[in-house]
Amino acid sequence: MAPGMPERYQGREEVRAGYRAAWGASPAQPQKIHDVRVHESIDPEVITVEQVVVGTVTTTGQAFSFPVLSVLRVRHGLIVHVQDYIDGLRVARTMDRPAAVVAGLGASQTEAQKP
């Protein structure tokens, strides 16, 4: 989970608002999604989607390509829940922010040690 981002989005409007806010605040601007593979599950409401998001980091001009795994719950044709999984260290390196990740890990350990 990225700092400041919710663990999951619930409901259509929360999904829309969350994605707009996340991508809008990021210098990583996606331009296309490809290699989309949808996997059904034994729960008829749940699907897993593999995809690759490709774009550019606006602050550096560096291209990126991140594989993303999304788990979605769809009810009556509408997304009611989505949770994404992405390689956070790869994203941090692309965004030239590995130090921020290391600092965040230290903060997480400090918080975990509090009584």
Side-chain angles (χ1 to χ4, degrees), residues 68-84:
V68 178
L69 179 72
S70 300
V71 179
L72 298 95
R73 180 169 296 276
V74 179
R75 191 171 295 135
H76 308 296
L78 299 174
I79 296 172
V80 295
H81 169 260
V82 63
Q83 190 162 2
D84 293 325

Side-chain angles (χ1 to χ4, degrees), residues 24-85:
S26 174
Q29 293 301 301
Q31 279 119 16
K32 80 177 190 179
I33 297 174
H34 64 86
D35 294 338
V36 177
R37 292 183 298 278
V38 178
H39 306 280
E40 295 180 12
S41 73
I42 58 172
D43 182 336
E45 291 188 343
V46 176
I47 60 171
T48 303
V49 179
E50 296 177 80
Q51 58 198 346
V52 177
V53 178
V54 177
T56 304
V57 179
T58 59
T59 54
T60 64
Q62 181 175 346
F64 67 82
S65 177
F66 302 134
V68 178
L69 179 72
S70 300
V71 179
L72 298 95
R73 180 169 296 276
V74 179
R75 191 171 295 135
H76 308 296
L78 299 174
I79 296 172
V80 295
H81 169 260
V82 63
Q83 190 162 2
D84 293 325
Y85 299 90

